[in-house]
Amino acid sequence: MVEKTYNEIKTIKEYALVNKVPIMVDDSIDFIISKIHQKRVKKVLEIGTAIGYSAIMMALSSPNLIVTSIEKDKDRYLEAVKNIKKFELEDRITLIYNDALDVLLKEKYDLILIDAAKSKNLDFFNKFEKNLEPNGIIITDNLSFHGYVEQEPSQIQNRNIRALVRKIRNYIDFLENNIKYKTTFYEIGDGLSVTEKRM
Ligand code: SAH
Ligand code: MG
């Protein structure tokens, strides 16, 4: 990476840290980029832009990659717009400011990255699976939820966290038992899954 790019990425990461924006950790973004190369991904749909960090990293990883990314938080969306301008990636990254569950897309994508509200993974999956190319993959982030998902439910004191963990487990069960899709789970970053259509 050239030094200017490196410094600008560093600035975004620092902004995320200071403002508590949960951007992806390096291992996760590296893994996703390796999948992008392996599967020759050309079009990405991302649910959960935050401040544009992962969208920018994906776009920088492949010169012809195009990304559509959805964010419902206004401040984050505006910060993402600024960041994407800084990298002059406006022609390859399209941002949609809306709740993803209210967005209707007709196009198909090689990669759908679900990285938004953990409790709504199943809703996002059900809504956007029709937008997946036959050979495409769906990657879902934060399936471990900082290790909570691996814990005994009775060990989790906080009710809200317990409810969220139950939802994440439901989603994992849904993926594991889905006859249309095959899913592999990875203990990378905060837990990732890669889902593809069964042939
Ligand atoms: N992918 C980003 C991080 C996303 S953090 C990166 O790694 O750089 C998750 C984001 O999803 C938050 O900014 C949150 O506002 C957004 N989000 C949560 N629910 C959403 C929804 N229903 N529609 C759109 N965005 C949503
Ligand atoms: Mg995440």
Side-chain angles (χ1 to χ4, degrees), residues 79-94:
E79 192 62 28
V81 170
K82 268 200 273 175
N83 286 331
I84 285 153
K85 269 206 191 108
K86 262 197 221 162
F87 284 88
E88 297 176 19
L89 286 169
E90 304 99 307
D91 54 337
R92 291 202 288 129
I93 302 177
T94 304

Side-chain angles (χ1 to χ4, degrees), residues 12 21-25 29 46-56 58 69-74 76-77 96-103 113-118 120 124 141-142:
I12 297 181
V21 182
I23 62 168
M24 254 173 225
V25 297
I29 199 75
E46 178 181 59
I47 320 294
T49 317
I51 56 173
Y53 170 71
S54 49
I56 289 168
M58 290 190 283
S69 186
I70 311 174
E71 174 57 52
K72 69 168 185 183
D73 179 274
K74 188 163 191 188
R76 288 184 180 174
Y77 161 77
I96 300 174
Y97 168 49
N98 203 345
D99 188 316
L101 293 174
D102 294 328
V103 176
L113 175 56
I114 302 178
D115 189 21
K118 292 182 258 293
K120 295 196 172 138
F124 298 134
D141 189 32
N142 305 102

Side-chain angles (χ1 to χ4, degrees), residues 168-186:
I168 298 171
R169 284 229 181 83
N170 274 345
Y171 180 65
I172 292 171
D173 287 345
F174 161 83
L175 292 175
E176 280 178 341
N177 298 313
N178 201 314
I179 50 166
K180 272 167 67 188
Y181 296 91
K182 180 179 162 294
T183 298
T184 313
F185 298 88
Y186 297 88

Side-chain angles (χ1 to χ4, degrees), residues 25-42:
V25 297
D26 291 350
D27 285 354
S28 304
I29 199 75
D30 288 349
F31 175 82
I32 290 168
I33 288 170
S34 75
K35 282 283 161 197
I36 286 175
H37 292 153
Q38 183 197 339
K39 300 274 176 189
R40 299 178 199 289
V41 170
K42 289 279 167 269

Side-chain angles (χ1 to χ4, degrees), residues 6 22 32 43 47 56 126-128 140 179:
Y6 175 81
I32 290 168
K43 273 173 79 173
I47 320 294
I56 289 168
N126 285 331
K127 184 177 172 82
F128 293 108
T140 310
I179 50 166

